[in-house]
Amino acid sequence: MKNYNSSLNVENKNIIIQEIFGVYDKRKTLIENELDIKIELESNKLVFIGEEKQVAKAIYLIENLMVIINKKKTLSKQELNYQLQMAIDNKFRDINAYLDEILCTTYKGKHIKPKTFGQKEYIDTLNSDDIVFGVGPAGTGKTYLAVAKAISSFKKGQVNKIIITRPAVEAGENLGFLPGDLQDKISPYLRPINDALYDILGPDALLNLQERGSIEIAPLAYMRGRTLDAAYVILDEAQNTTKEQMKMFLTRIGHGSKAIITGDITQTDLPKGKKSGLIEALKILEGINDIGIVRFSKKDVVRHKLVQKIIAAYENYEQKQIERNL
């Protein structure tokens, strides 16, 4: 196929060479190989050579990378890989949609922002719907962003309390035999939640709010029989709920409350033969007004890039196993 040429003017040649081309042009080579194009720097413009549709992807990619650099003054490997994947998949979207969003600010002054379009969709859904399911693989930020949103709503006076719960499957929900008080018993199961709260609020504010009862952390079994009014309620690791537990939790929501249910349906720890309440709820509640469902993909993983590859490898393996058994 005949090569197509197009160019893009650049304002700061040195920034392009340093941040987008990378050391010894490693990033430039990566982009060229993945998009099957060539990039040349001529004076104050980039020249793209390749198939027309691939050149269009490259221009979209470089424009987005330049926006990131202009806003952040730097370009991380994670951001480069994510934007490159979006270009490869033909997902042309306005990057400012998530770069300019600030969910809340940590006690150290760090802004918590969405890092992917999937995370942006999640935050928009949290803003619009009363019950939101955030479903997807580990590392997509679904729990951390849920905690951040809950804290933001509490600080704005939109709710009076934050309640965070999780099924303690490993203990069979029978926590009485474990040593210590309730907090000691459930602490191992709620460590990721505590880490997020600590990171956002800081140790002093977190302790103060817990002592005042403004933040409550409890196993799912302790939700039974309660009505949760004016609260932001988070159910984490929801793939490990039974259908009875999920129904119980969803029917606890009272006036002025919001609920976020997060989980990964590929990592269920329930005993063999037990159906996940999360999987069932997603089927039953799809399409109901004020209930939002956001499904993250491996592209939304914001941990180490190897996490994406690990998830993809497992997906491929599981698909092959299914095909063999057909």
Side-chain angles (χ1 to χ4, degrees):
M1 187 174 289
K2 186 178 179 181
N3 277 343
Y4 171 82
N5 289 15
S6 187
S7 62
L8 178 67
N9 291 330
V10 294
E11 295 179 2
N12 194 322
K13 182 177 176 179
N14 292 332
I15 287 292
I16 291 291
I17 294 172
Q18 178 182 336
E19 296 293 339
I20 296 181
F21 282 15
V23 179
Y24 302 118
D25 283 354
K26 283 185 178 180
R27 290 183 169 186
K28 173 176 171 286
T29 302
L30 172 67
I31 294 169
E32 290 176 327
N33 290 342
E34 291 292 334
L35 295 179
D36 194 22
I37 49 102
K38 286 294 180 185
I39 305 174
E40 296 177 358
L41 182 58
E42 296 180 3
S43 186
N44 288 320
K45 68 178 181 180
L46 290 175
V47 178
F48 303 86
I49 305 165
E51 291 183 19
E52 186 172 356
K53 65 178 182 179
Q54 296 303 103
V55 167
K57 291 180 181 182
I59 292 175
Y60 159 81
L61 170 65
I62 298 299
E63 286 178 336
N64 272 3
L65 296 182
M66 288 170 66
V67 170
I68 293 173
I69 292 167
N70 287 333
K71 288 179 179 291
K72 298 186 175 182
K73 309 305 178 188
T74 188
L75 176 67
S76 70
K77 183 189 296 185
Q78 183 184 79
E79 288 166 328
L80 170 62
N81 289 331
Y82 177 67
Q83 292 301 324
L84 178 56
Q85 191 61 55
M86 290 293 102
I88 292 170
D89 293 344
N90 272 321
K91 295 187 176 178
F92 302 129
R93 298 176 64 180
D94 179 14
I95 191 172
N96 292 294
Y98 74 79
L99 280 182
D100 293 335
E101 177 97 19
I102 298 176
L103 183 55
C104 72
T105 304
T106 71
Y107 78 107
K108 291 183 177 180
K110 177 187 175 184
H111 294 318
I112 296 176
K113 299 180 176 184
K115 295 180 179 178
T116 70
F117 293 115
Q119 288 191 351
K120 169 61 177 170
E121 179 192 354
Y122 187 44
I123 291 172
D124 288 344
T125 308
L126 294 177
N127 289 333
S128 62
D129 294 330
D130 291 333
I131 296 177
V132 175
F133 289 83
V135 185
T140 51
K142 54 190 184 294
T143 299
Y144 189 87
L145 291 175
V147 172
K149 178 60 180 175
I151 292 170
S152 174
S153 296
F154 176 79
K155 287 182 175 180
K156 291 176 181 176
Q158 296 170 345
V159 294
N160 298 329
K161 191 171 187 177
I162 297 171
I163 300 172
I164 304 172
T165 186
R166 193 176 188 183
V169 171
E170 299 91 335
E173 289 284 4
N174 299 313
L175 301 171
F177 70 91
L178 294 173
D181 59 17
L182 175 61
Q183 196 62 43
D184 294 328
K185 294 174 190 289
I186 65 174
S187 182
Y189 307 102
L190 296 166
R191 182 61 184 270
I193 296 288
N194 276 315
D195 288 347
L197 288 167
Y198 185 97
D199 186 50
I200 298 168
L201 290 170
D204 295 336
L206 175 57
L207 181 61
N208 179 262
L209 289 171
Q210 286 180 317
E211 288 177 346
R212 286 164 44 192
S214 298
I215 292 180
E216 179 185 343
I217 305 176
L220 182 58
Y222 285 69
M223 297 295 108
R224 189 174 300 277
R226 301 178 62 181
T227 300
L228 308 174
D229 291 323
Y232 217 110
V233 192
I234 299 172
L235 170 57
D236 191 36
E237 297 289 345
Q239 74 276 3
N240 289 330
T241 61
T242 63
K243 61 181 183 179
E244 294 82 10
Q245 288 174 324
M246 178 60 76
K247 182 179 178 182
M248 177 273 290
F249 172 79
L250 291 171
T251 54
R252 298 307 94 201
I253 309 305
H255 295 293
S257 287
K258 281 206 169 197
I260 309 177
I261 300 95
T262 67
D264 178 359
I265 59 175
T266 68
Q267 294 192 19
T268 300
D269 298 316
L270 289 168
K272 193 172 183 179
K274 277 279 187 181
K275 291 185 178 180
S276 167
L278 174 60
I279 294 174
E280 185 179 70
L282 293 172
K283 295 175 183 176
I284 294 172
L285 303 177
E286 184 92 52
I288 296 179
N289 289 339
D290 298 321
I291 295 180
I293 298 175
V294 178
R295 291 181 170 88
F296 294 95
S297 74
K298 59 179 177 288
K299 297 183 188 68
D300 295 302
V301 171
V302 293
R303 292 181 187 166
H304 195 286
K305 68 176 182 178
L306 279 176
V307 176
Q308 282 192 15
K309 294 181 179 179
I310 291 167
I311 292 168
Y314 270 91
E315 287 177 351
N316 292 335
Y317 174 78
E318 288 161 3
Q319 184 59 40
K320 288 177 182 177
Q321 292 294 103
I322 292 171
E323 290 170 357
R324 283 189 191 132
N325 294 328
L326 289 177

